[in-house]
Amino acid sequence: MVQDISQKFTLWLKVSLLGLSLPLLLSSSIRAEECTPADIKAQIEKFKDAKTFKAANDTVVKCGEDAISSLAEALSNSDAATRTNAASALGKMGWIAQDAVPDIVETLGDGD
């Protein structure tokens, strides 16, 4: 009986781990296709347009660490919408974007 419970628990644990890791595996393969530096910069350019900024912001956030340096650079862009959306994207990334904190703090002095 104890062995039966142990086997069921082991099976349940394996299935749970697979279920939790599957989205991570799928998202990393999707992310790899659209996260070249040129693609990231092209998406950041779309931050200026009110019609395209939301989708561009979401795309850049999915790039994760690959996009952080470009977003940090965008914080000093002459366009206010670009700066705002870059800060928003970094905020959505959470702790992954911690290297950009000094750039974000510097941007807090922006009048816009």
Side-chain angles (χ1 to χ4, degrees):
M1 173 120 173
V2 173
Q3 186 180 17
D4 187 43
I5 292 173
S6 177
Q7 288 175 340
K8 286 181 180 179
F9 178 75
T10 303
L11 179 62
W12 175 83
L13 186 60
K14 289 178 182 179
V15 169
S16 297
L17 288 174
L18 179 62
L20 291 172
S21 62
L22 190 58
L24 294 173
L25 293 172
L26 292 175
S27 68
S28 66
S29 64
I30 292 170
R31 187 178 73 82
E33 294 176 15
E34 56 188 70
C35 292
T36 66
D39 289 336
I40 292 168
K41 290 191 185 291
Q43 293 298 319
I44 290 173
E45 279 297 314
K46 294 179 183 179
F47 285 2
K48 298 175 184 177
D49 186 348
K51 295 178 184 178
T52 60
F53 84 87
K54 172 83 170 93
N57 194 296
D58 292 343
T59 300
V60 171
V61 168
K62 288 178 187 176
C63 291
E65 291 181 54
D66 294 341
I68 292 172
S69 63
S70 296
L71 287 167
E73 184 180 313
L75 291 171
S76 61
N77 191 289
S78 61
D79 180 67
T82 299
R83 294 191 305 272
T84 300
N85 288 309
S88 171
L90 288 165
K92 288 178 184 177
M93 288 181 185
W95 68 269
I96 293 173
Q98 67 185 348
D99 291 342
V101 169
D103 298 304
I104 295 170
V105 171
E106 185 178 323
T107 304
L108 290 174
D110 187 336
D112 292 326

